Structure formats: structure tokens, C-alpha cells
Amino acid sequence: MFEILNFAIPILFVGLIASGLATAMHKNKKLSFLSNTIMLLLVLAFGIYYSAFSISFNAVSLYHVYPFSSFLLVLFSLALLIVNAAALHLDEKYAKFGTMLPILSVGILSVGMASSLLTIIVSIELMTVPTILLIAFSGKQFAEPATKLFLMAAISIAVLAFAITLVFPYDSSLSLSQAASGNMGSQYFLVLALVLLVASLGTEAALFPFDLWIPDVYQGSPHSVSPLLAGVNKKVAFVALIEIAFVVFSGQKAEISLVFEVLAILTMFFGNLGAMAQTNVKRMLAYSSISQAGYIMVGLAAFSVFGLEASLFQIFAHSFMIIGAFVLAGFLSMEGLDTINDYSGLYRRSGFLAFSLTVMMLSMAGIPGLIGFVGKFLLFSSAISSGLIALAFIGIINSFLSIYYYGRLIGNVYSSRSHKTMHVPKTVYFPILAAVVIIIVFGVYPAPLMYLAHSAAASLFSVI
Amino acid sequence: MLPIIFLMLAILGIGGLVAALAGSYSRSKLTAILFSAVALLIASYMVLGALTSPGFLGSTESLPYIGQFGIYLSFTITQFGVVLVLLASIVSFAASVAVSTKFEDNRNLYPLILLFEFSAIGLFVSANLFLFYIFWDVGVVASYFLISAFGKGENKHAANTFLIYSIFASAVLLFGIMLIYFYTPVHSFDIGYIASHSFEIPADIQGMIFTLFFIAFMVKMPIFPFHSWIANAYSEAPTQGSMLISGVLSKFGAYGMLLLFTVFAFSSEFAKYAFVIGAISSFYAAFVVMRQKDLKRIAAYSSMLESGIILVGISSLNVFGIAGALYLMLAHGLVMALMFAVIGGIEISYGSRNITMLKGIVKDSVGSAYSFLVGTFASTGIPLTAGFVADVLIFIGAIKTYGLYGAIPIFSIMLLGFYMYYAVNKSFLSTKESSQSIAKLPRQMAFTYAIAMAAIFIFGIFPYLVTALFGI
């Protein structure tokens, strides 16, 4: 019985790929949406089952289920479910999306369970290539973001591969746990590998100075893909970064902490100052997601179980905030509302959209009672508890700076210009509602999610 | 015993939801009046309990919340808390009775009033700093929406200024709270625990914590030089918003200041600087108020002046000064509620609040004119009003600690008095010529005046109600 359960995830992956391929054949919108949703729901169910009972096992040295990976299974399958549902409206044809999403979700879901460096690089590749195709196939006007994403992804994968080859002489099995146990010392090549690794994954994870492509691609991508890019793909890069930096390079604690601290500070300032100057909402969200990447780095710089817990919590929190926000912005963009000024009087058009946008923006700004506050609170606390008081202070100052652009958007939404009311279709309503519910529920009562994040973080550290 | 605080917060939370979901403006308003009246009754019961039964003060209610940090949803009734809870519920009740002209159709005002009352009462009774911070920020957000969505004219600008100042204060406060948590011997947010262990925090961190907290509370009170948000925020908010923000939200800062100087023993070495800052702030406000023509701005700067006096009282660090500061918070909250209600009423009646345009208000609207006069009496400390008791206590305290220098801030109140009586004489009581009223004062506004004035006189004639809590 348990033998079968151990292979449930690979079987579901096969199912996902089959669902994607089937979509390419039959092109029935409803059917393919249904099959994708069911597959993801099953993954979610297993993820919840694994994390509820803290199950851990190794299966054929291919993948490793432990609280860390179970947490990510829950997070990514939930996020993909929302993205998938929203795409039904944001992408009218859905056929291409329905084909690509299950395939790339295999890459996304397997990165957390990776037990070797090769699995990580393959999963990232499996995630990136379909995403590029998805953007490129959406029409001629998307050639620019597709090309940009393609170039950045190609270079970052090449650099990542080079970094892994540099590790190879010291760890010929390429296995994460063996790399951790073997004392790799502080060789010159390892430091180079570390730098290349941060550069490569930093590109995908939107860390300054590798993040200049982010605003163009997030803004220019099809509305159905932007939530995926910002809410899921970016987080996958963070997961890979966490696994490699914390497990493989666990000996270089001081160097990693310093590098991450500097990156965190620069990324936060770049994102926040950039967002202040924007008028287009999607572009502003792109910059704000860069700043959020900086916050996540604060927890990683703390380099402790608590810091990792905080980062995982924030990864979870930001995933749903940004997915909700991009779905909302994409829907409004389809209705012809693009800039911050267009949003004025949104409150009169649709109370639901105005309320949801307010919740998401306040949560990103870190207002208590919402999930974003808990995330930031944990992050800055973890920095203080590791003795990085200056980093925590800079983080809090950045959090204060961000209120400028979030507040400006919210202020516009409630200005009293009157408009006709707007019809919100169900396929937009429910994904946004799901995001809002997650933001509020885990904001008001964060204890269960904090527990999961804590056991995930502790289990990653116990691999070392 | 009945979990009275949880009950009160639950009632306000439910009230807010009901008011948000009520179908129409009048139903929403009625809900707000009912629920805030119930909250007022509970608050009065708390005061009664605090005065009559000895074990009532200091009783704690708690539920587990976040185990990893040892955070409980814990509330306790203190001498400060019970008085400020009463203030918050009186002002919120008065604000939900009041009306303002332009937003008859907008029923979202009332859920916001109840949300604000929820946050204020939660803040005044919270027994740990984590909850203190949460309620603080919820209050800020509720006030932001009160200004942003319901104000008129320059309200967007005012709301954004308010938000930026407030979030700055929150950010600084949050950082201070985190520092305290990680530098107490057993990591804790509990105010009682921190009070008994504040000397074990390393000395350099003590200074940092004091500075952060002091800045955060200065912004909220407001104290010079962090005051520039008040004029716009108070004048562009709707009447109810001005009542709540000046009457209750500014007390968040004052209450924080009280906690800072009473809980953290190391603050005492900074008290003399606080005294000087408070005195400077009150004189600054007194001079600024003389340049104002808009009634709401006059009220706003007089509120800033009183905040300076509150800080003077707190910084004297003896029971008279502390009790006086608390009394002034109560008195000043009620006065501000009354003044802004009257100004709102005058705006309804005359369509203007500029004192150069308004003349002889007493002719057409007697109620507004005399209510404003009562407000002026109370804010300049005339006997029989609550302001008198407060000022007496504060200056006894200040003189005890700082000698005759302690009496200097009295002159700022005198300066305020000169200008206020000049304004009142000119626009309210002169009978030579009078402006034409364009609308009759709504009956709800008369009730609002009555609620605030009754409270001002009750606490002016029976100071025992508060001073007994301090044994003086």
C-alpha cells in the first residue's frame, strides 16, 4: 500500500503530462481545464497529506519527500490551480495554456523534491522552456517579452550548468545530501561556483542587478502568463537557490550571508524606488515583486532555521498576493484599464475588485491582519535574531517607502469619479476570491502556516 | 468572571460586519449607533468596576495565538486603559450619531467608525506589544480610509500625507518592538514582563528603543517637528473622521508615550528632554494657531498644543503629572469631538468655516455658538470643565519635578486663550452683524453636541471618577 503511495507523485506527473498532451489533441476547453484541475488537486491533496503527517522518504534516489518539499508541493499546486483557473478568462483560447501549464508544472513541482543538482537544473529547464513557448505562441506582439525571457533564461541556465560542473570534482555524485556531508572546504573554484550560482538563479529570482528584464517581461507578457511568472516561476528559482546555497554550500555560511545581505538591500531599494516612478499598474506590480524578492532575501541572509522559515512564509504569502494582483490587473487591462489613473473610481465600477485590490496592496505593504505583515514581521525578526540589526532597519525603511505607491493606487481606487458598473466573470471572481481568502485567513491566524514553514525549514537544515 | 474585553471587541467586530452588510445608509447608521451605545455601556461598566471592586484593575484575559513566539491574545484593564476606553467609546458614539453634509448616500462610513473603535479599544487594553502594534496599524488604516474616501477638496493629498507619516511611525515602532522582543532575557512581548526586566536590555539598545518609540509616538500625538500632517488631515476629513482622528487616534500616541515613560524604567533619564520638546511644541502650536482663519485648522493646532501639554505632564514622572496627562487626554479627546462636531454643524448651517466670513453665529444657531464656547472654555482650562482639572494636575506635577520652569508651558495655553476668545467673540457672539444661515442644524448634530458637552461637564465636576484610580 505505502509502496504505491510513495510513487503517487511520479504517477501524477505522468498524468499531468498526459493531460497536457491530450489538450493539444482535442482542444476542448472545458475538458482540458477539468483534467488539469483534477491533476493539480490530486497533487495538492498529496502535498497536504505529506505535510500534515511530516512524512519523509526517498524514492529510487530520484526524489526526496520531506517537510520542505511537501510545503512547496502545497504552495505550488495551490498557486497553479489559481493561475490555471484565471487563465480560462485571461486567455480566450486556453488551448496553448492548457497544453503548456501541466507540462511546466511538472518542473515546478519537482524542484522542491530534487535530491540531486541535476534534478534541479532539469526541473528549471522544464519550467522555463514551456513558459517561453507559451509567451511566444500567444501572438506577434509578444515576441519582445518572449525573446527577452529566452535570452535571460538561456544565459542563466548556461551559467548554472557551469557552476554545477565546478562543483562536480568535489562531489561527483551531484547529490544534495552527499555534497552537504562531504567537507568541500573553501576552495577557490567553489567560491567561483557560488558566485555563478547566485548570478544564475538571481536572474530568475529577480535579484538586483540581474533583474532589469523583469519589468519588461512581466508587463509585456500575456495576462494569463504574468501571474505564473511572478507568482510561481520566480519562487522556483528561490527554492533552487535555497537548496543549493543552504545544503551544498553550507560550509560557506559567512560568505553566503554577506552576499545575500548586500543583494537584499540593493534589491529592496531598486524595486521600491523603481515602483514609485511607474504609471502602468502591471509594471508597478513587477517592480513591487522585485522589492518583495529583496524582502525574501533578508530571511535567507539570516542563514538560520528561523530565517528560512520566514523566507518560506514570505514566498508563500507573496505568491498569492502577486497572483491575485496580476489576475486583477490583467482582467482590468482587458477591460481597457492600464494606468494608475485609469483605476480612479474603480470602487464605483466593482466593489469586489476594489476591495480585493485594497487587501492585496495593504498586504504587500505589510499592514497587520493580512498575510504580508506576518511575512515581513518574521523576516525582519529573523534578521534581528541573527544579529543583522542594520539589515532589519533597512528592510523596515523599505517597507515604509513602499507605502507611497501602494497608497497612491488605493487612493485612486476610492476616488469618487462615477462609472458604469462592471461585470466580473466567475473565472476571474473565484481566483481573486481564493487569493483574498488566503491573504486574510493566514493573516489573521498565521500559526498553522508558520508551523508548516518551520518544520519545512528545520527539515532542510537537518539534511545538512 | 465574564471575559468583558473579548465581549466588547467581539461586539464591535460583529457590529462592523453588520454595518458593512446592512442594505442602506439609514440601517447602517442605526447599527453603528446601537453597537457603539452597547460598547459605551460596557465601558461605563468597566469604569464602575474599576472604582468599586479592587481586583478589577489588572485582571487579564488571554487566549493562545502564535505559539512559536509565545504570543497570546492577552488583554488587561489598567488605570490608563479604562479611562481611554471610555473616551474612545464616548467619541465613537458621538461620531456615529453625527452627520456630515455630502455623504448622505455613503454607508461605508459606519463600518469604518466601528472598525476604528474596535482598534482603539483593542489598543488601550492590549497587554502585549504585538497586539498593541496590530491595533495601532488597523486604526491608522481605518483613519486613512475615513479621510481618503469621505473627505472633500484636497482630501487625497491630506490622506496620503497622513498615510506616509503614519506608516513611518508604524515602521519605526515595529522596529522598536522587535528589538525589545529579541533583547529581553526571555524573549517576550508581554508589557508586564518587559516592565520588570527593562534594565536587563543592553544600554545601547535601550537608547535605540527609546528613540524609536519616542519618534513614533511624537508623530502620532503630534509633537513638533512631526506635526505637519495634522492641519490637512483634520481639516479635509469628514466631520466624523475629524472627531475620531483628533479625539482618539492622537491618543494612540499619547497612550504610547505614557507606556514608554511608565513601563520602561530607563526612559526616566530622557524625561527632561521630553519636557523641553513638549514645551516647545505647545508654544509653536500657540503661535501657529494665531495665523489660522479656518475653524478646523484652529482646532487642529489647538489639539497640537494640548498634545505638547500632555507630553509635559508625562515627562514630570510623578503621579500628579501622569494622572493629569491621562485626564487631559480624556478632556482633550472630548473637547476635540465637541469642537469638530460644532464646526461640522456650522458648515452645514453656513456653508463655510472661515472665521473672516462667519459673523454673529449666535443669532441663527444658538446651540452651535454656545457649544463652541464650552469647547473653548474646556480647552483653555476654565473651572467646571474637564480641562481645568487636567491642567491643574499637570502643572502641579511639572512644578514638583522641574520647579518653576515647569510652569512655563501655562503661557502657551494663555496665548491660545487670547486667540480663541478673539475668534469666538468675533464670529460667534458679536451681535453687530450676522451671517445668513442656509440650512437648519440637523437634530442629530444637536445630540452629538449634547453627548460631548455632558461628558465634558461630568468629568469637570466629578474629577473623582478618574483621580480615584490613582489614589489622589
Side-chain angles (χ1 to χ4, degrees):
Chain A
M1 177 61 195
F2 282 104
E3 288 294 303
I4 299 169
L5 277 185
N6 285 1
F7 287 95
I9 294 290
I11 293 169
L12 284 174
F13 283 176
V14 174
L16 272 170
I17 292 175
S19 162
L21 293 180
T23 305
M25 309 290 175
H26 61 63
K27 300 204 167 152
N28 181 336
K29 196 170 163 181
K30 265 188 187 161
L31 190 65
S32 64
F33 170 72
L34 215 63
S35 66
N36 289 348
T37 308
I38 289 172
M39 285 298 161
L40 288 171
L41 273 176
L42 285 173
V43 176
L44 175 64
F46 274 98
I48 292 175
Y49 165 70
Y50 289 150
S51 44
F53 297 98
S54 308
I55 290 170
S56 42
F57 58 86
N58 266 311
V60 289
S61 72
L62 259 180
Y63 68 98
H64 182 195
V65 170
Y66 58 124
F68 180 76
S69 65
S70 318
F71 179 82
L72 294 168
L73 271 186
V74 175
L75 159 62
F76 288 139
S77 52
L78 207 53
L80 286 168
L81 273 170
I82 297 180
V83 171
N84 184 35
L88 217 46
H89 180 85
L90 298 176
D91 183 351
E92 294 106 47
K93 291 189 190 122
Y94 186 74
K96 283 156 200 154
F97 197 92
T99 312
M100 293 301 177
L101 183 91
I103 295 173
L104 66 88
S105 55
V106 171
I108 289 166
L109 293 167
S110 55
V111 76
M113 299 188 294
S115 55
S116 90
L117 291 171
L118 278 182
T119 319
I120 291 180
I121 200 169
V122 170
S123 330
I124 289 184
E125 198 78 333
L126 189 54
M127 170 191 83
T128 318
V129 175
T131 312
I132 298 167
L133 294 180
L134 196 52
I135 300 176
F137 285 169
S138 298
K140 270 185 189 160
Q141 71 270 36
F142 299 113
E144 188 207 331
T147 317
K148 277 185 179 157
L149 183 57
F150 170 70
L151 286 175
M152 297 318 293
I155 294 170
S156 91
I157 281 291
V159 173
L160 181 60
F162 185 47
I164 288 175
T165 29
L166 286 177
V167 177
F168 186 74
Y170 305 96
D171 170 28
S172 53
S173 71
L174 290 178
S175 136
L176 286 177
S177 48
Q178 284 197 17
S181 59
N183 180 16
M184 301 207 293
S186 52
Q187 321 277 354
Y188 166 72
F189 279 116
L190 282 177
V191 177
L192 183 61
L194 182 60
V195 170
L196 291 175
L197 178 92
V198 170
S200 138
L201 292 171
T203 311
E204 304 255 346
L207 303 180
F208 184 84
F210 315 110
D211 59 353
L212 296 169
W213 59 281
I214 293 270
D216 292 341
V217 172
Y218 284 13
Q219 183 195 358
S221 294
H223 301 313
S224 54
V225 183
S226 305
L228 181 72
L229 282 173
V232 186
N233 285 15
K234 201 175 96 176
K235 307 298 180 274
V236 168
F238 266 112
V239 172
L241 187 62
I242 289 169
E243 283 179 326
I244 301 183
F246 281 33
V247 179
V248 178
F249 292 98
S250 55
Q252 274 74 25
K253 184 176 167 178
E255 291 89 339
I256 290 183
S257 184
L258 181 67
V259 170
F260 281 8
E261 190 179 345
V262 173
L263 286 179
I265 293 172
L266 293 176
T267 311
M268 285 189 290
F269 273 114
F270 178 82
N272 278 323
L273 297 178
M276 284 181 184
Q278 304 309 318
T279 51
N280 182 296
V281 175
K282 274 182 91 175
R283 203 171 174 81
M284 191 203 88
L285 288 174
Y287 274 102
S288 107
S289 91
I290 293 175
S291 74
Q292 299 277 345
Y295 299 136
I296 294 171
M297 290 304 281
V298 172
L300 299 186
F303 211 104
S304 60
V305 175
F306 183 19
L308 185 56
E309 172 196 345
S311 289
L312 288 175
F313 192 98
Q314 180 71 1
I315 286 174
F316 187 97
H318 183 245
S319 223
F320 293 100
M321 296 188 289
I322 200 76
I323 287 176
F326 265 122
V327 169
L328 209 157
F331 169 68
L332 288 177
S333 180
M334 287 172 79
E335 305 281 320
L337 310 182
D338 282 313
T339 65
I340 293 180
N341 283 335
D342 292 343
Y343 277 44
S344 60
L346 179 67
Y347 160 69
R348 304 262 171 178
R349 293 179 192 246
S350 159
F352 170 73
L353 291 183
F355 173 75
S356 314
L357 189 64
T358 309
V359 168
M360 286 159 196
M361 293 299 120
L362 289 181
S363 175
M364 285 193 209
I367 299 296
L370 302 170
I371 196 168
F373 165 70
V374 186
K376 281 187 185 173
F377 179 80
L378 291 174
L379 288 168
F380 301 146
S381 306
S382 71
I384 293 180
S385 80
S386 297
L388 306 171
I389 294 186
L391 178 63
F393 186 68
I394 293 173
I396 286 185
I397 289 300
N398 266 286
S399 169
F400 155 64
L401 289 179
S402 71
I403 198 68
Y404 172 78
Y405 52 89
Y406 295 130
R408 192 173 51 157
L409 185 59
I410 295 171
N412 249 341
V413 165
Y414 289 94
S415 68
S416 50
R417 196 197 288 179
S418 60
H419 292 285
K420 275 185 207 158
T421 53
M422 183 185 273
H423 172 68
V424 183
K426 270 183 192 157
T427 42
V428 173
Y429 182 86
F430 283 108
I432 294 178
L433 185 69
V436 169
V437 166
I438 289 174
I439 291 171
I440 294 178
V441 167
F442 288 122
V444 173
Y445 190 60
L449 186 59
M450 277 169 63
Y451 171 76
L452 286 184
H454 183 78
S455 51
S459 74
L460 186 81
F461 267 83
S462 67
V463 170
I464 299 170
Chain B
M1 204 179 85
L2 201 63
I4 187 167
I5 299 170
F6 279 116
L7 188 72
M8 192 165 184
L9 291 175
I11 284 175
L12 288 171
I14 293 167
L17 278 182
V18 173
L21 299 175
S24 68
Y25 172 81
S26 56
R27 254 188 274 169
S28 174
K29 181 172 171 103
L30 191 66
T31 318
I33 293 176
L34 276 179
F35 278 92
S36 56
V38 173
L40 178 57
L41 283 181
I42 299 178
S44 317
Y45 170 75
M46 277 188 196
V47 175
L48 192 72
L51 286 172
T52 52
S53 57
F56 191 81
L57 285 181
S59 60
T60 308
E61 299 165 16
S62 70
L63 281 178
Y65 184 44
I66 301 178
Q68 198 190 334
F69 288 92
I71 298 173
Y72 286 81
L73 291 177
S74 56
F75 299 102
T76 181
I77 305 174
T78 61
Q79 298 142 318
F80 307 140
V82 71
V83 175
L84 292 171
V85 165
L86 185 66
L87 167 71
S89 42
I90 294 174
V91 175
S92 308
F93 179 54
S96 41
V97 174
V99 288
S100 60
T101 39
K102 201 178 154 195
F103 296 99
E104 288 291 318
D105 60 328
N106 207 332
R107 60 199 159 84
N108 290 331
L109 184 64
Y110 294 99
L112 278 178
I113 290 178
L114 287 175
L115 177 69
F116 182 84
E117 187 179 1
F118 171 82
S119 77
I121 287 174
L123 179 106
F124 295 142
V125 294
S126 46
N128 69 48
L129 290 175
F130 187 79
L131 288 182
F132 180 91
Y133 179 76
I134 287 185
F135 285 115
W136 171 288
D137 249 21
V138 172
V140 165
V141 172
S143 320
Y144 167 73
F145 283 112
L146 279 173
I147 304 172
S148 167
F150 301 94
K152 29 195 139 180
E154 288 283 296
N155 65 322
K156 290 285 169 232
H157 176 69
N160 286 341
T161 318
F162 169 79
L163 189 66
I164 287 171
Y165 269 91
S166 301
I167 296 294
F168 172 71
S170 304
V172 170
L173 178 67
L174 179 62
F175 189 54
I177 289 176
M178 283 175 180
L179 280 182
I180 288 186
Y181 178 78
F182 284 105
Y183 282 94
T184 41
V186 175
H187 296 342
S188 173
F189 286 111
D190 189 72
I191 293 176
Y193 177 82
I194 295 168
S196 53
H197 291 79
S198 63
F199 270 118
E200 293 169 42
I201 299 171
D204 51 336
I205 302 289
Q206 284 182 4
M208 219 194 270
I209 291 172
F210 178 83
T211 317
L212 292 166
F213 275 31
F214 195 69
I215 290 176
F217 298 143
M218 268 164 95
V219 174
K220 253 294 97 1
M221 279 180 77
I223 296 290
F224 177 82
F226 295 104
H227 61 278
S228 50
W229 59 273
I230 58 159
N232 277 330
Y234 289 6
S235 63
E236 305 303 333
T239 303
Q240 295 93 328
S242 304
M243 290 168 73
L244 289 172
I245 294 171
S246 63
V248 184
L249 186 73
S250 68
K251 304 301 165 290
F252 285 20
Y255 174 65
M257 213 54 111
L258 256 184
L259 282 186
L260 177 61
F261 280 95
T262 50
V263 169
F264 301 103
F266 54 78
S267 314
S268 55
E269 54 184 296
F270 303 100
K272 50 184 179 295
Y273 306 113
F275 171 76
V276 173
I277 291 174
I280 291 175
S281 180
S282 58
F283 277 104
Y284 176 88
F287 287 114
V288 174
V289 87
M290 292 184 183
R291 300 284 305 155
Q292 305 304 321
K293 300 287 175 223
D294 182 340
L295 276 174
K296 272 196 166 181
R297 281 172 191 264
I298 294 177
Y301 282 107
S302 79
S303 148
M304 180 186 165
L305 188 148
E306 304 283 354
S307 298
I309 303 288
I310 291 174
L311 185 56
V312 166
I314 295 171
S315 69
S316 62
L317 289 179
N318 55 39
V319 67
F320 290 100
I322 300 279
L326 183 67
Y327 214 103
L328 188 54
M329 285 182 216
L330 173 67
H332 168 247
L334 297 171
V335 169
M336 281 298 128
L338 175 62
M339 284 223 184
F340 279 112
V342 173
I343 295 166
I346 288 173
E347 217 179 345
I348 294 176
S349 305
Y350 294 90
S352 165
R353 38 175 216 248
N354 191 328
I355 57 167
T356 54
M357 316 279 274
L358 295 167
K359 290 184 179 71
I361 288 172
V362 73
K363 183 157 172 273
D364 278 348
S365 40
V366 184
S368 296
Y370 285 112
S371 307
F372 196 83
L373 194 62
V374 169
T376 314
F377 283 160
S379 64
T380 49
I382 300 293
L384 291 189
T385 62
F388 170 69
V389 185
D391 287 347
V392 167
L393 286 172
I394 284 179
F395 289 109
I396 291 176
I399 290 171
K400 270 191 151 185
T401 308
Y402 299 108
L404 282 180
Y405 293 113
I408 291 175
I410 291 182
F411 295 104
S412 70
I413 301 182
M414 284 171 62
L415 286 173
L416 175 73
F418 288 147
Y419 188 67
M420 292 291 267
Y421 292 120
Y422 162 75
V424 166
N425 209 9
K426 192 164 156 297
S427 354
F428 287 79
L429 301 179
S430 101
T431 45
K432 277 184 213 154
E433 47 180 344
S434 60
S435 312
Q436 203 60 40
S437 76
I438 53 172
K440 206 168 162 286
L441 187 72
R443 192 176 291 156
Q444 288 109 316
M445 288 311 277
F447 278 125
T448 313
Y449 298 174
I451 295 164
M453 273 198 289
I456 289 173
F457 282 121
I458 287 174
F459 288 104
I461 298 171
F462 307 107
Y464 166 80
L465 290 174
V466 174
T467 53
L469 299 173
F470 291 87
I472 50 175

